[in-house]
Amino acid sequence: MKVIRLKNISNDYFQMAWNLYEDAFPPEERKSLNDQTYVLQNENYHFDIFLMDTNQFIGFILWWDFESYIYIDHFATVKKQRNKGLGNLILNKIIDNNDKPILLEVELPTSSINERRIKFYKRIGFKINQHYYDIPISKSHQSRLQLLLMSYPNLISKNEIEQFIENFHPIIFKTKKNDTGN
């Protein structure tokens, strides 16, 4: 499996990754194309795509490398490659290449697909933190979105979550139109 870090939207693989991104995540959890273009300029942000040996696009992982955490923003594999262990391989590459705690968000277990995603991350070793957690409003018509924060390799405290929100949400959710992140 080959990994390529995209630094701009002109890369040949970007449109395939962007189509998967739009298909895999609901609108309230996605960045706009303008915001994605802007965030690609941040050195802490990684837009990594994964290719099979034949250069066939199989998925992506969008993540942030902060001083105290790795934060996985979005992660998806193409539909025809799901349930083949590739998602596990991709996440284990991130785990094996970093010695920092890893955080990611999941939707509340209110549907069978959400429950399956949580179980997938648990099988890899992520722990589900039961502290209240929501993401800032990113679009004017959107209300706050409550999610659960999962962490690897250990649970994190409510205080650690609050520190993560205070220190890193302004960076993660900063957009070209909204430089304060609020």
Side-chain angles (χ1 to χ4, degrees):
M1 185 170 10
K2 185 175 172 183
V3 181
I4 298 174
R5 181 178 180 185
L6 303 184
K7 296 226 177 197
N8 59 61
I9 65 170
S10 64
N11 182 287
D12 293 340
Y13 288 105
F14 180 83
Q15 192 57 53
M16 283 184 265
W18 191 253
N19 290 342
L20 175 58
Y21 177 75
E22 291 186 318
D23 184 54
F25 297 95
E28 62 271 13
E29 293 181 24
R30 297 190 310 240
K31 289 178 177 57
S32 69
L33 183 58
N34 285 337
D35 292 342
Q36 184 64 59
T37 302
Y38 179 72
V39 77
L40 278 166
Q41 299 169 34
N42 189 310
E43 278 303 310
N44 295 86
Y45 185 72
H46 296 253
F47 192 123
D48 292 345
I49 61 157
F50 292 83
L51 308 173
M52 295 299 282
D53 296 332
T54 59
N55 287 336
Q56 176 188 6
F57 172 72
I58 59 167
F60 65 79
I61 191 163
L62 312 180
W63 60 284
W64 294 85
D65 187 2
F66 294 121
E67 188 175 316
S68 51
Y69 292 102
I70 298 297
Y71 170 71
I72 297 175
D73 203 345
H74 292 88
F75 165 62
T77 56
V78 295
K79 284 182 183 176
K80 67 181 179 178
Q81 296 297 337
R82 292 182 188 153
N83 300 314
K84 296 181 179 180
L86 296 173
N88 193 330
L89 287 172
I90 290 169
L91 283 175
N92 277 307
K93 262 191 178 299
I94 295 288
I95 290 168
D96 293 344
N97 291 329
N98 293 287
D99 58 358
K100 301 173 193 172
I102 301 172
L103 304 176
L104 58 82
E105 298 165 343
V106 292
E107 294 154 325
L108 301 175
T110 55
S111 71
S112 60
I113 190 75
N114 292 357
E115 289 175 4
R116 284 182 55 215
R117 283 189 191 117
I118 290 169
K119 287 178 184 173
F120 166 75
Y121 292 120
K122 282 183 174 181
R123 283 194 303 271
I124 294 170
F126 281 84
K127 311 287 189 266
I128 195 154
N129 296 279
Q130 296 295 334
H131 311 295
Y132 178 81
Y133 176 79
D134 66 12
I135 62 172
I137 299 167
S138 61
K139 298 176 180 88
S140 61
H141 64 280
Q142 179 184 333
S143 59
R144 285 197 173 271
L145 178 63
Q146 186 175 9
L147 300 171
L148 293 171
L149 197 62
M150 296 187 78
S151 53
Y152 178 93
N154 302 309
L155 291 169
I156 60 175
S157 69
K158 184 176 181 180
N159 185 53
E160 288 171 300
I161 290 175
E162 289 168 359
Q163 289 298 312
F164 171 74
I165 291 168
E166 183 179 325
N167 295 329
F168 302 118
H169 271 198
I171 298 168
I172 295 167
F173 295 102
K174 183 177 182 177
T175 64
K176 195 170 191 173
K177 299 176 291 295
N178 179 5
D179 286 339
T180 64
N182 293 325

